[in-house]
Amino acid sequence: MTFSNLGLETIFVDAVEKKGYTEPTPVQSKVIPWILKGKDILASAQTGTGKTAGFTLPLLQRLSKQKHHPSRSVRALILTPTRELASQVHENVKEYSVFSDLKSAVVYGGVNQKPQVRKIRSGIDVLVATPGRLLDLHNQGVICFDKIEVLVLDEADRMLDMGFHREISKIIGFLPDKRQNLLFSATFSKDIKSLAQGILNHPVNIETNPENSTVEAINQFVYKVDKVRKTELIIKLIKDGDWDQVLVFTRTKHGANNLCKKMKSSDINAMAIHGNKSQTARTKALAGFKDGTVNVLVATDIAARGIDIPLLPHVVNFELPNIPEDYVHRIGRTGRAGSNGEAVSLVSVDEYPYLEDIQKLISFKIPSEIPDGFPLDPRITAPGPKKKNRSRPRNSKRSRKRSGKRR
């Protein structure tokens, strides 16, 4: 199977081959023909499956076949939950449209809006955006939605988790009734199915991986270690293993900063990325991580959305997430595009219930061991049975407040 077999024209086949891809992934093989036919799509695909190219390539081809409106108003809108993901998707749009005359832009909060406004007013075909900044610009009269032909909701589950349901509903209310809708999500939760029912018109349902499964190319492993010795262990793993590109997850922004500081004091080139960092700092850290000048990127879950390193070899859970589904998202940063990857979790006694929940979710018992030189303190025992469900409340005021709606 080749990209041309899927119905893509030469200029887009050449663009994707320029990036080094010659054969479509399973999700691309399934969604591209339907999108080219103008069908609405409800697709569940894990990270690293090539879904961005799956919707971007046919979307661009459809737009290229039609004449631009004299005002060159936006014709395709791609909504993403975070700044990093928006930036990454826009990079893909630019790369895949390199041999066409299509123009695009990206808008998100945390940066000066003036350059974004200038770009939009110069005339664009495709706009990639986070919900908050998009509504801000619409309220200012900068963006007009009346020419939108295609709407894409990328990582829709994360947008709902971050409390953007109201913003999404507002945006959809401004769009023309006649349009093509493409909804991509890692899972088909009740909230996602409800959202889809209100947006999609007789959609084609596509699922390329079992819900909440982990990519087979990822080697998962657990080191059981006392919490107070986690920093010592991760530094040892990085140095002894000569790991030169590692994405590390912490639960909190403070934890990310603290770990990054300790790594730097041990001569490890590390940077932190989270919601309290300015967009300039986040962009700089991510760029350094991609070009190899930064070896370790310490991130929180929300900030890490959109990090796309094709051959990222190592992901480390310095702390396990308390939401099992987030584990799947985290380790999906490695093992992408057919490459192998390693996901290591440092698990202290108090996190055993989280580990149990994760293993139930993925239907897999992750191999574990106590590393040499790091014996567990017998005085520290595991917590008793859980008394309440730790699942994240959906779209509640409390969850919105906790997420801070960082975008």
Side-chain angles (χ1 to χ4, degrees):
M1 177 68 73
T2 65
F3 285 98
S4 58
N5 294 146
L6 299 177
L8 291 175
E9 297 181 347
T10 303
I11 59 172
F12 299 109
V13 173
D14 289 345
V16 75
E17 288 182 348
K18 184 179 179 182
K19 284 199 56 146
Y21 305 131
T22 56
E23 295 183 4
T25 65
V27 69
Q28 292 164 359
S29 297
K30 291 181 179 181
V31 303
I32 288 175
W34 288 115
I35 296 175
L36 288 174
K37 291 178 181 178
K39 293 288 188 178
D40 280 13
I41 298 291
L42 175 60
S44 173
Q46 301 298 330
T47 56
T49 57
K51 61 181 174 64
T52 302
F55 65 73
T56 300
L57 289 165
L59 179 156
L60 293 172
Q61 179 162 308
R62 293 202 70 204
L63 295 181
S64 70
K65 289 180 172 294
Q66 302 167 19
K67 290 185 178 181
H68 306 295
H69 189 270
S71 64
R72 194 115 190 192
S73 298
V74 178
R75 293 186 288 153
L77 174 62
I78 304 173
L79 286 180
T80 72
T82 67
R83 310 167 190 173
E84 282 72 28
L85 183 56
S87 179
Q88 181 62 48
V89 170
H90 183 235
E91 282 300 313
N92 288 158
V93 171
K94 290 193 297 181
E95 290 167 341
Y96 296 139
S97 60
V98 65
F99 299 121
S100 74
D101 65 347
L102 297 171
K103 295 182 180 181
S104 60
V106 60
V107 299
Y108 47 72
V111 295
N112 191 324
Q113 72 172 32
K114 290 183 179 179
Q116 298 176 353
V117 172
R118 284 197 297 269
K119 182 69 174 177
I120 292 169
R121 286 178 171 165
S122 70
I124 58 172
D125 302 284
V126 182
L127 180 64
V128 186
T130 53
R133 175 54 62 92
L134 181 67
L135 282 175
D136 288 343
L137 295 178
H138 178 266
N139 292 339
Q140 295 172 41
V142 174
I143 297 174
C144 182
F145 292 142
D146 63 342
K147 299 296 186 298
I148 296 292
E149 301 170 23
V150 184
L151 169 67
V152 181
L153 297 182
D154 191 18
E155 300 204 358
D157 55 334
R158 180 58 59 168
M159 279 195 274
L160 296 187
D161 285 346
M162 293 173 66
F164 283 128
H165 193 286
R166 184 178 179 185
E167 286 81 353
I168 293 171
S169 297
K170 279 187 177 181
I171 292 167
I172 291 172
F174 295 132
L175 304 181
D177 291 334
K178 186 178 180 181
R179 63 179 189 272
Q180 184 178 19
N181 303 284
L182 313 175
L183 192 155
F184 288 79
S185 173
T187 61
F188 283 161
S189 65
K190 289 182 180 180
D191 288 338
I192 287 297
K193 291 175 181 177
S194 175
L195 177 65
Q197 287 177 354
I199 298 175
L200 306 181
N201 181 30
H202 302 295
V204 177
N205 294 311
I206 294 172
E207 190 168 0
T208 55
N209 292 100
E211 190 169 319
N212 294 319
S213 68
T214 51
V215 180
E216 291 181 1
I218 302 172
N219 179 31
Q220 302 173 67
F221 198 79
V222 165
Y223 282 118
K224 294 182 176 180
V225 60
D226 290 334
K227 182 182 292 189
V228 294
R229 300 195 67 186
K230 281 190 176 185
T231 300
E232 181 186 352
L233 177 57
I234 193 172
I235 290 173
K236 177 178 173 59
L237 291 173
I238 291 171
K239 288 191 170 183
D240 289 358
D242 198 24
W243 295 352
D244 58 4
Q245 195 176 44
V246 190
L247 176 59
V248 180
F249 285 97
T250 62
R251 268 199 221 113
T252 66
K253 303 164 191 174
H254 173 74
N257 288 336
N258 191 41
L259 179 58
C260 189
K261 182 178 179 181
K262 291 179 179 178
M263 284 187 171
K264 287 180 178 178
S265 66
S266 297
D267 297 322
I268 294 176
N269 192 353
M271 292 188 75
I273 178 171
H274 53 67
N276 281 356
K277 295 284 186 179
S278 69
Q279 187 58 41
T280 300
R282 291 163 69 167
T283 301
K284 180 180 178 182
L286 187 54
F289 189 57
K290 287 184 175 182
D291 66 26
T293 55
V294 174
N295 302 117
V296 180
L297 191 66
V298 185
T300 54
D301 287 297
I302 290 177
R305 301 297 282 193
I307 293 178
D308 186 10
I309 313 296
L311 299 177
L312 177 62
H314 304 286
V315 168
V316 177
N317 291 300
F318 185 77
E319 296 163 316
L320 287 181
N322 57 355
I323 306 299
E325 290 84 358
D326 286 345
Y327 174 84
V328 177
H329 291 304
R330 286 182 178 189
I331 72 169
R333 302 292 103 190
T334 188
R336 300 168 77 91
S339 64
N340 292 321
E342 183 176 52
V344 176
S345 299
L346 310 187
V347 182
S348 53
V349 170
D350 60 299
E351 295 174 300
Y352 286 0
Y354 298 159
L355 178 60
E356 181 182 341
D357 288 346
I358 288 167
Q359 292 179 146
K360 285 180 180 178
L361 180 74
I362 65 177
S363 300
F364 176 66
K365 185 173 177 60
I366 306 172
S368 66
E369 71 174 42
I370 299 171
D372 291 339
F374 291 81
L376 296 178
D377 187 338
R379 296 171 297 178
I380 304 175
T381 59
K386 295 176 294 181
K387 294 184 178 180
K388 60 181 179 179
N389 188 353
R390 289 190 306 279
S391 61
R392 178 191 287 116
R394 300 278 182 172
N395 304 320
S396 66
K397 292 181 179 179
R398 184 179 177 185
S399 67
R400 289 188 183 194
K401 184 177 181 180
R402 181 167 61 250
S403 71
K405 286 191 139 181
R406 296 283 178 185
R407 54 189 187 269

